[in-house]
C-alpha cells in the first residue's frame, strides 16, 4: 500500500474577514439557533450519569412512588378481597404454616407474604413460631396455648394419625403405632419423642416396651372434640298440622 504525503500547502485569507458574525460566506442560508434551555443542559449532564449508575443505588428512589398511596390500616386492610380471603381461610383452618397456606391457596410466594405482613401489621393475624416454622392464627381466636399446640401438631398428617391411635387405643407402643400407621419404627419414634417434648404424650416402660399415652389435658381436649364430632344430630320434630 502506497502512502501519500503533502509537499505543498496553499494558505488563502478567510472569506468572512471584516464581516458580521452570521453573515453568509458562499450564498448559503444562515439561521440563528436558539440557546439550549438550562433544564435541557442539566438533563443532558445528569442522564448519562444515571445510565452508568448501578441499579442497586437507585432502589431507595422507589419509595417516592408510594407517596400519595392510601396507607393500609386496620380500618381499610380488608378492603382488599385477597386479604379478606386469606384471613377467612386462616380462621377456618387455624395453625397452618406458610408453605401449607401457599399450597392450599395457590398463591405466589410474594403475594401471600405481602398480604400476611399487612394483616399482621393491622393486628388481624398472630404468628406462632414452632420448630422453625411460622403458624398463623386469627387475632382473638379462643384458643389456649395448649389448644394451639394441639392444633399445630394435628396439622401434620403423621402426628395426627399417631395421636388418634394413642387416643382410641388408650395408649400404644412404638411397634403397634408403626404397624397401624405403616410408618417405620424410626419415624414413629421421632414423632412420639416430639409429642412427648410438647407435653402431648407421656411414656412409661411396661416390660420390654415403652408405652405412650396422652397427658390428661390433651386427652380431655380430644375427648371433647370426639364427643362433639360423633354426637347425633337432634331429631326433627314435625310441625303440628293445624289444618
Amino acid at each position: 500500500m502506497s502512502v501519500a504525503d503533502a509537499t505543498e500547502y496553499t494558505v488563502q485569507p478567510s472569506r468572512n474577514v471584516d464581516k458580521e458574525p452570521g453573515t453568509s460566506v458562499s450564498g448559503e442560508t444562515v439561521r440563528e439557533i436558539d440557546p439550549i434551555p438550562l433544564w435541557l443542559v442539566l438533563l443532558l449532564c445528569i442522564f448519562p450519569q444515571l445510565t452508568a449508575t448501578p441499579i442497586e443505588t437507585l432502589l431507595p428512589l422507589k419509595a417516592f412512588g408510594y407517596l400519595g398511596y392510601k396507607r393500609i390500616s386496620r380500618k381499610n386492610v380488608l378492603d382488599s378481597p385477597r386479604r379478606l380471603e386469606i384471613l377467612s381461610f386462616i380462621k377456618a383452618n387455624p395453625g397452618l404454616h406458610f408453605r401449607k397456606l401457599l399450597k392450599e391457596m395457590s398463591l405466589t410466594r410474594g403475594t401471600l407474604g405481602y398480604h400476611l405482613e399487612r394483616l399482621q401489621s393491622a393486628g388481624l393475624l398472630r404468628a406462632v413460631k414452632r420448630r422453625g416454622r411460622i403458624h398463623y392464627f386469627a387475632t382473638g381466636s379462643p384458643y389456649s396455648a395448649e389448644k394451639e399446640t394441639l392444633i399445630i401438631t394435628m396439622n401434620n398428617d403423621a402426628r395426627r394419625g399417631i395421636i388418634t391411635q394413642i387416643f382410641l387405643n388408650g395408649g400404644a407402643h412404638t411397634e403397634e403405632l408403626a404397624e397401624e400407621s405403616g410408618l417405620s419404627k424410626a419415624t414413629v419414634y421421632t414423632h412420639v419423642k416430639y409429642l412427648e417434648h410438647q407435653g402431648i404424650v407421656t411414656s412409661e416402660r411396661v416390660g420390654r416396651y415403652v408405652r405412650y399415652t396422652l397427658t390428661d389435658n390433651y386427652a380431655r381436649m380430644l375427648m371433647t372434640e370426639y364427643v362433639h364430632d360423633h354426637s347425633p344430630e337432634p331429631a326433627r320434630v314435625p310441625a303440628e298440622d293445624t289444618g
Side-chain angles (χ1 to χ4, degrees):
M1 178 180 294
S2 60
V3 179
D5 292 328
T7 57
E8 295 182 1
Y9 300 91
T10 301
V11 180
Q12 297 178 347
S14 172
R15 287 179 292 175
N16 62 353
V17 175
D18 297 329
K19 295 182 179 181
E20 292 292 329
T23 304
S24 174
V25 176
S26 302
E28 69 273 10
T29 302
V30 178
R31 185 175 61 184
E32 290 189 11
I33 300 176
D34 295 331
I36 299 176
L38 178 60
W39 66 267
L40 183 57
V41 174
L42 295 177
L43 180 62
L44 293 174
C45 293
I46 295 174
F47 183 74
Q49 302 300 324
L50 291 178
T51 57
T53 303
I55 190 64
E56 291 80 1
T57 62
L58 302 178
L59 290 178
L61 297 178
K62 76 173 186 177
F64 292 103
Y66 297 109
L67 295 178
Y69 276 63
K70 182 171 67 174
R71 185 185 178 196
I72 298 175
S73 64
R74 188 183 181 98
K75 293 181 179 179
N76 60 29
V77 67
L78 295 181
D79 289 350
S80 165
R82 180 67 74 187
R83 281 193 286 273
L84 181 60
E85 178 189 2
I86 293 172
L87 181 61
S88 300
F89 187 82
I90 292 176
K91 285 182 177 180
N93 303 274
L96 295 182
H97 57 77
F98 184 87
R99 289 182 60 186
K100 189 75 170 179
L101 286 170
L102 202 62
K103 179 180 178 182
E104 295 291 337
M105 302 202 70
S106 300
L107 298 174
T108 63
R109 181 178 296 272
T111 299
L112 179 60
Y114 170 77
H115 289 306
L116 287 175
E117 286 181 5
R118 300 285 76 76
L119 289 169
Q120 282 184 262
S121 298
L124 297 178
L125 276 189
R126 188 165 50 84
V128 178
K129 189 172 183 180
R130 294 288 169 83
R131 292 174 64 89
R133 287 180 171 175
I134 304 296
H135 301 261
Y136 295 94
F137 291 87
T139 301
S141 53
Y143 303 125
S144 64
E146 289 182 334
K147 182 67 173 180
E148 288 184 355
T149 298
L150 182 62
I151 289 173
I152 291 173
T153 305
M154 296 286 275
N155 280 331
N156 180 283
D157 294 338
R159 293 178 192 139
R160 180 173 64 251
I162 291 173
I163 291 173
T164 302
Q165 290 178 42
I166 294 175
F167 170 70
L168 295 177
N169 297 327
H173 53 73
T174 305
E175 286 75 7
E176 292 172 337
L177 294 171
E179 183 178 353
E180 292 188 32
S181 66
L183 301 173
S184 67
K185 294 180 181 179
T187 301
V188 169
Y189 180 79
T190 300
H191 286 308
V192 293
K193 283 302 176 185
Y194 170 78
L195 296 175
E196 189 174 15
H197 177 73
Q198 294 297 318
I200 298 175
V201 303
T202 183
S203 62
E204 180 184 7
R205 177 166 291 279
V206 180
R208 65 189 187 91
Y209 295 107
V210 175
R211 188 170 183 81
Y212 297 95
T213 56
L214 294 174
T215 56
D216 293 341
N217 288 342
Y218 288 101
R220 281 194 295 268
M221 280 189 280
L222 286 172
M223 178 59 71
T224 301
E225 292 186 4
Y226 182 81
V227 171
H228 178 269
D229 292 341
H230 292 78
S231 59
E233 294 184 1
R236 281 189 171 184
V237 178
E240 294 183 1
D241 186 359
T242 58

